[in-house]
Amino acid sequence: MSESINPFGTSITHEDLLEDLEFFDSWEDRYRYIIDLGKKLPDMPEAYKTDENFVHGCQSQVWIHGELNNTDNCLDLLVETDAHIVRGLAAMVMAAYNHQSPQTILDFDIDAYFEQTQLIQHLSPTRGNGLKSMVKKIQDLAAKHTH
Amino acid sequence: MTNNTELDLNQIRNDFPILHQEVKGKPLVYLDNAATTQKPKAVINAVSSYYETINSNVHRGAHTLSDLATRDFENARVSVQGYLNAETPEQIIWTRGTTEALNLVAHSYARAFLKAGDEIIVSGLEHHSNIVPWQITCEVTGAQLKVIPVLDNGELDMDAYGNLLSDKTKLVSVAHVSNALGTINPVKAIIDQAHDAGAVVCIDGAQAVPHWAIDVQSLDCDFYAFSGHKLFGPTGIGALYGKQELLDKMIPYQAGGEMIEKVSFSGTTYNQIPYKFEAGTPNIGGAIGLAAAVDYLMQLPREALELHEQALMTYANQKAADFEGIRLVGTAKEKTGAFSFLIDGAHPHDVGTLLDQQGIAVRTGHHCAMPIMDQFCIPGTVRASFAFYNTLEEIDQLFAGLEKAKMLLL
Ligand SMILES: Cc1ncc(COP(=O)(O)O)c(C=O)c1O
């Protein structure tokens, strides 16, 4: 994973997403937007779909691969999942975390972010847990690279 | 809108306070009854009245409240005995639910009496709670687990079952109704054939009891397990029925207070059934609530409701036949409760999320029945599951919701 082709966290920031989400007042539009976000996620190479990268605690299958980029010390992330909505949510997580320094990742207030998206209230607890598992996986990766 | 004019479904729905609310701004359509059923006012009132008026520990007190609590607690056993048509109330053992009831049989019967070379038979469509206890039993005893194959339509391969039975078979444990597929298994035939082979039979009745009254004597099963919360009663309470001669010879499940007759350091003697299996303070309020559920059900027109439930299933099948891209999972001739399906090109969890946005509660996933999901090579299904209080209109709403989900996802 030499160059990151993941647009989230680089060309699409979490501020962009929050701005977009403010426009929607129907749940249909909100979900259509999330599903479309998921379509912008790059596919993960098969080789990264390992047990180590597997995210437990999600209802759908999710993998997250992370690598420290030696040039700028940022964590480059890729995520893969088989469900459209989860994929969209994963894109939102990527917008916050991808290509950030490990310390920035650890400092980021993810709860406040998701509260602002007004999505948590729309998420079932199980899916909420899946989201938490993804976040935990990335935070653990970041923590590994801070000491 | 039912096929039965004598049935006033609105009046019955009014007995269930939770059904009359909005979720996400839309009227709740509760189609997750295989996971847990809703509670009628009669149950809610019985539980709160117990705590408000007679809460006390049972069998212990030399005081009035304890006597009243003990009376209602033991009367609850009689209600459940009646619902299952068990021979005596002592053959009803309170458990936390189906899971604990099955574990009790595995621990106190199978682990105590099975040995290396013996065989246990389950089916391929079982809930994990009717698989894992037997796997552990096999690990501990050296017995072997055999599995009745499931046909593509979700029915058990009864020919294969016949071939699995032998004089090595010591125990057969199968679901009365599959929670994942809705298949009603031919348990009477399963029991009779097992008995011919000399095996004891345990029936997981979790998904059968909500749909019709069970007669354990005419079934002639040796054990029958169910959960109160799937029978319109509270969570945390359920029961195991067992034949007297088996229960008598079984070893205790847990040890502690109530299950003993006499304790001394030179030796302890156990109480008689059912107390031998009920160590510790039981779920008194739960048992009283469960009895209220059973009493409530007994005064409903059960036959009309059974016909109504069949009409729900038939109507769902008709709607599915006209719905592009739906694939039913489990198409057994005899089905009740669970209506499992997939939408081509859509992940079940996405479908479930979008139904939830429309106030429609279903369950998605493997339904704790991974082996049958593996057999069908699917990660899980969307499962709508019906109770007698569901309406044909709610099935219309389900399919309208699916149409919308399809539009967003595909
Ligand atoms: C067929 C079947 N068996 C066993 C169980 C376990 O029941 P409980 O979780 O109430 O113990 C269930 C519940 O989902 C079930 O559907």
Side-chain angles (χ1 to χ4, degrees):
Chain A
M1 197 168 70
S2 47
E3 81 223 51
S4 170
I5 40 159
N6 187 348
F8 293 95
T10 49
S11 55
I12 309 175
T13 67
H14 75 275
E15 285 101 343
D16 295 338
L17 301 191
L18 286 176
E19 224 170 273
D20 288 349
L21 277 166
E22 272 191 27
F23 283 107
F24 305 122
D25 34 38
S26 82
W27 70 268
E28 286 100 327
D29 290 344
R30 204 176 283 273
Y31 272 92
R32 198 173 282 122
Y33 174 77
I34 294 165
I35 291 165
D36 285 343
L37 282 184
K39 292 181 181 153
K40 294 184 190 154
L41 272 179
D43 289 335
M44 177 185 272
E46 282 300 318
Y48 291 155
K49 294 185 193 170
T50 59
D51 284 348
E52 194 194 336
N53 285 342
F54 191 77
V55 183
H56 295 274
C58 299
Q59 280 198 40
S60 52
Q61 293 190 295
V62 181
W63 291 267
I64 291 176
H65 179 81
E67 246 173 56
L68 200 65
N69 187 324
N70 289 329
T71 50
D72 56 9
N73 269 333
C74 282
L75 201 57
D76 284 334
L77 298 165
L78 280 177
V79 60
E80 187 63 71
T81 174
D82 49 351
H84 291 312
I85 295 172
V86 180
R87 203 177 168 85
L89 294 172
M92 303 199 59
V93 172
M94 286 296 134
Y97 286 143
N98 182 44
H99 204 72
Q100 308 299 315
S101 78
Q103 196 56 50
T104 311
I105 289 176
L106 292 177
D107 291 342
F108 187 79
D109 188 345
I110 193 83
D111 289 338
Y113 169 47
F114 268 101
E115 210 162 291
Q116 280 171 287
T117 65
Q118 294 181 37
L119 273 168
I120 284 295
Q121 65 183 95
H122 295 282
L123 292 173
S124 62
T126 32
R127 207 171 283 275
N129 291 338
L131 207 55
K132 287 202 189 94
S133 309
M134 282 192 236
V135 167
K136 174 90 170 43
K137 184 103 185 168
I138 294 168
Q139 287 172 336
D140 287 351
L141 275 172
K144 256 203 295 197
H145 291 290
T146 47
H147 33 242
Chain B
M1 194 176 153
T2 75
N3 63 336
N4 197 305
T5 44
E6 51 185 287
L7 198 60
D8 186 348
L9 216 52
N10 271 335
Q11 193 191 328
I12 290 176
R13 286 178 69 83
N14 279 338
D15 294 336
F16 293 81
I18 205 170
L19 296 177
H20 308 278
Q21 65 174 301
E22 294 200 333
V23 167
K24 316 263 183 195
K26 319 220 169 49
L28 168 65
V29 175
Y30 187 77
L31 298 176
D32 194 17
N33 293 287
T36 200
T37 50
Q38 299 304 347
K39 322 305 174 199
K41 270 181 289 194
V43 168
I44 298 164
N45 291 345
V47 173
S48 63
S49 159
Y50 163 72
Y51 284 114
E52 279 174 14
T53 57
I54 60 167
N55 173 55
S56 265
N57 213 329
V58 289
H59 308 303
R60 298 199 180 148
H63 63 84
T64 307
L65 290 191
S66 175
D67 288 345
L68 290 172
T70 304
R71 180 199 63 189
D72 285 7
F73 179 68
E74 288 305 326
N75 280 342
R77 209 187 291 276
V78 175
S79 286
V80 170
Q81 175 209 354
Y83 193 70
L84 298 184
N85 192 30
E87 294 89 340
T88 66
E90 288 73 31
Q91 288 164 267
I92 303 298
I93 294 151
W94 297 121
T95 64
R96 281 192 295 123
T98 310
T99 304
E100 191 176 47
L102 294 170
N103 275 278
L104 197 163
V105 178
H107 178 277
S108 298
Y109 179 78
R111 277 167 78 165
F113 297 111
L114 268 56
K115 53 184 191 322
D118 290 343
E119 292 176 358
I120 299 174
I121 296 179
V122 298
S123 89
L125 51 63
E126 298 306 318
H127 188 281
H128 296 162
S129 68
N130 197 28
I131 299 174
V132 186
W134 310 118
Q135 288 177 322
I136 295 174
T137 301
C138 288
E139 266 172 41
V140 173
T141 61
Q144 264 207 39
L145 195 62
K146 301 277 171 176
V147 183
I148 310 169
V150 181
L151 303 172
D152 287 346
N153 67 355
E155 291 177 4
L156 298 187
D157 183 340
M158 288 297 283
D159 292 337
Y161 171 58
N163 293 332
L164 284 178
L165 285 167
S166 74
D167 56 4
K168 290 190 199 149
T169 313
K170 291 296 176 300
L171 194 138
V172 176
S173 191
V174 291
H176 200 160
V177 172
S178 151
N179 68 311
L181 310 177
T183 312
I184 303 175
N185 289 323
V187 286
K188 181 61 187 151
I190 290 172
I191 293 163
D192 290 347
Q193 289 181 49
H195 283 169
D196 287 345
V200 157
V201 186
C202 177
I203 301 294
D204 170 354
Q207 298 295 343
V209 285
H211 303 295
W212 62 82
I214 304 299
D215 185 337
V216 289
Q217 293 188 63
S218 80
L219 281 178
D220 196 27
C221 55
D222 299 285
F223 298 105
Y224 199 96
F226 77 94
S227 301
H229 71 96
K230 295 187 199 278
L231 187 61
F232 315 96
T235 49
I237 186 77
L240 174 71
Y241 157 84
K243 279 193 181 152
Q244 169 115 29
E245 71 266 26
L246 293 173
L247 294 175
D248 279 340
K249 72 173 188 181
M250 280 157 61
I251 61 168
Y253 179 46
Q254 293 181 338
E258 292 289 335
M259 53 76 68
I260 42 75
E261 185 177 75
K262 177 170 176 292
V263 176
S264 79
F265 289 107
S266 59
T268 290
T269 50
Y270 306 132
N271 207 334
Q272 73 233 38
I273 66 165
Y275 309 115
K276 180 168 82 175
F277 300 109
E278 295 179 354
T281 298
N283 184 351
I284 306 161
I288 288 168
L290 174 52
V294 165
D295 295 344
Y296 169 78
L297 288 170
M298 297 285 233
Q299 52 82 46
L300 291 178
R302 292 304 302 275
E303 278 171 25
L305 290 175
E306 217 182 301
L307 283 177
H308 168 64
E309 285 192 56
Q310 279 170 21
L312 292 174
M313 189 62 84
T314 305
Y315 189 54
N317 279 320
Q318 282 166 5
K319 296 284 287 190
D322 293 335
F323 192 92
E324 192 145 338
I326 196 171
R327 171 180 154 205
L328 300 189
V329 182
T331 50
K333 281 185 282 302
E334 301 281 332
K335 272 177 74 170
T336 189
F339 181 77
S340 249
F341 59 90
L342 288 166
I343 302 290
D344 287 343
H347 196 286
H349 301 144
D350 285 343
V351 176
T353 302
L354 296 177
L355 288 177
D356 180 49
Q357 289 302 314
Q358 303 172 73
I360 303 166
V362 297
R363 182 162 175 202
T364 61
H366 54 61
H367 316 298
C368 297
M370 281 182 174
I372 192 64
M373 298 296 140
D374 287 348
Q375 179 184 327
F376 291 156
C377 296
I378 52 179
T381 71
V382 183
R383 181 189 70 187
S385 52
F386 312 132
F388 57 75
Y389 46 60
N390 288 123
T391 63
L392 296 175
E393 287 85 347
E394 287 180 307
I395 292 176
D396 285 334
Q397 280 161 302
L398 168 68
F399 278 89
L402 286 174
E403 201 63 68
K404 188 154 230 174
K406 225 168 71 174
M407 214 176 64
L408 285 164
L409 288 169
L410 302 180

